[in-house]
């Protein structure tokens, strides 16, 4: 695969970075990422993932745009209010870069359809707002042998973790949170408010980590950081990193007994 002169111009600032280079940019053009949730995290992440030249995107969200979303969900405008987020996001992408291959789904993702919706993706970015969905996505990623970036944000705090539970020595998201949140009464997270710029920080950081994972073995951008959870603190501001251990008894990725 090669890049056209127009694409070379568009991504010139990537190509001149030794850690990305021409080989890295060509690799990104051949990658497929599924973004689940187009809200506070998925919205800014999508902008930078599209800008990075990832060739194929699958966008999954069953929600519609509300005026209260506009404070942090930066791909949407007042004209999008009342329209589906997935459809509106695809329209934004068409205006931004018509060369991208975009698929959308406005179905609510669940344990029943998660595997089908992420099938064929090189990476899944989960920015949903409830544990039951996150666990269903994590289990599907393990089954499909697909790396997962899981990101969350609230008030002035955020976290981004990379998981590869399909690998024998790596944890999945379920190893991190356990099984309790599968229950229906744990289906939603408390809505405590959010600084809009905090969502932007977490979403753009998740996009950077996504590029890092997708370029594993192609460029010198660094290790994919599987099993590491980065916690972003907007009040300090600062960041710290935790290591997540694989749970051998995990029902999502543990060794069958």
């Amino acid at each position: 695969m090669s890049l056209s002169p127009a694409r070379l111009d568009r991504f010139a600032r990537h190509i001149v970075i030794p850690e990305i280079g021409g080989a890295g940019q060509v690799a990104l053009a051949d990658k497929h990422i599924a973004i689940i949730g187009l809200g506070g995290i998925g919205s800014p992440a999508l902008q930078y993932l599209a800008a990075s030249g990832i060739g194929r995107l699958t966008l999954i969200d069953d929600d519609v745009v509300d005026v209260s979303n506009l404070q942090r969900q930066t791909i949407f405008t007042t004209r999008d209010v009342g329209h589906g987020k997935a459809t509106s996001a695809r329209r934004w992408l068409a205006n931004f870069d018509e060369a991208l291959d975009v698929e959308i789904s406005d179905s609510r993702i669940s344990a029943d359809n998660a595997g089908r919706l992420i099938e064929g993706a090189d990476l899944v970015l989960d920015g949903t707002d409830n544990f039951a969905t996150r666990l269903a996505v994590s289990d599907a990623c393990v089954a499909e042998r697909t790396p997962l970036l899981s990101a969350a944000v609230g008030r002035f705090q955020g976290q981004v973790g990379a998981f590869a539970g399909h690998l024998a020595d790596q944890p999945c998201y379920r190893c991190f949170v356990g099984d309790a949140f599968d229950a229906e009464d744990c289906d939603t997270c408390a809505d405590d408010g959010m600084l809009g710029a905090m969502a932007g920080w977490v979403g753009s950081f998740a996009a950077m980590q996504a590029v890092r994972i997708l370029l594993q073995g192609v460029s010198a951008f660094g290790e994919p950081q599987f099993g590491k959870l980065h916690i972003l603190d907007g009040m300090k501001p600062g960041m710290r990193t935790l290591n997540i251990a694989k749970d051998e008894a995990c029902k999502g990725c543990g060794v069958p007994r």
Side-chain angles (χ1 to χ4, degrees):
M1 184 178 181
S2 60
L3 299 176
S4 68
R7 302 305 274 179
L8 289 172
D9 285 344
R10 185 173 188 124
F11 302 113
R13 300 302 186 275
H14 267 182
I15 294 169
V16 297
I17 302 173
E19 291 80 8
I20 305 294
Q25 195 60 53
V26 168
L28 289 176
D30 196 40
K31 296 297 184 180
H32 175 198
I33 186 167
I35 303 176
I36 305 174
L38 298 167
I41 293 168
S43 176
L46 173 61
Q47 289 178 301
Y48 278 102
L49 291 170
S52 74
I54 293 172
R56 183 179 175 193
L57 300 126
T58 296
L59 313 179
I60 304 166
D61 198 313
D62 68 327
D63 201 5
V64 299
V65 180
D66 184 83
V67 68
S68 65
N69 300 150
L70 303 182
Q71 162 257 6
R72 64 200 178 280
Q73 299 178 19
T74 47
I75 55 175
F76 305 126
T77 70
T78 304
R79 291 184 177 183
D80 295 316
V81 172
H83 296 275
K85 288 185 178 180
T87 300
S88 298
R90 180 171 58 184
R91 183 164 51 244
W92 182 89
L93 284 167
N95 290 327
F96 179 74
D97 187 351
E98 63 183 9
L100 301 177
D101 181 1
V102 183
E103 301 175 10
I104 68 169
S105 172
D106 57 6
S107 299
R108 182 173 179 80
I109 196 163
S110 67
D112 294 330
N113 64 6
R116 174 178 58 81
L117 290 173
I118 69 169
E119 185 178 7
D122 296 296
L123 176 66
V124 172
L125 171 57
D126 185 351
T128 57
D129 62 359
N130 67 84
F131 285 111
T133 300
R134 289 174 177 274
L135 288 167
V137 170
S138 175
D139 292 345
C141 285
V142 173
E144 294 291 325
R145 304 189 62 79
T146 305
L148 169 66
L149 264 177
S150 184
V153 64
R155 291 197 173 187
F156 300 95
Q157 304 288 328
Q159 61 183 41
V160 178
F163 301 94
H166 58 286
L167 301 178
D169 60 341
Q170 295 294 338
C172 71
Y173 179 78
R174 189 180 286 277
C175 292
F176 170 45
V177 302
D179 299 331
F181 296 112
D182 278 314
E184 287 298 319
D185 59 353
C186 294
D187 195 36
T188 58
C189 298
D191 186 8
D192 292 329
M194 184 191 309
L195 179 69
M198 190 70 211
W201 184 19
V202 176
S204 59
F205 183 76
M208 185 176 72
Q209 295 299 89
V211 172
R212 187 189 307 277
I213 291 170
L214 292 173
L215 291 183
Q216 182 184 14
V218 177
S219 75
F221 190 24
E223 295 300 314
Q225 300 186 354
F226 293 136
K228 293 187 180 297
L229 182 76
H230 301 283
I231 300 175
L232 290 69
D233 186 338
M235 290 296 288
K236 287 186 176 181
M239 184 187 300
R240 59 194 177 99
T241 302
L242 304 178
N243 292 315
I244 308 300
K246 189 177 185 73
D247 179 2
E248 297 299 334
C250 174
K251 74 178 188 182
C253 71
V255 178
R257 298 181 184 278

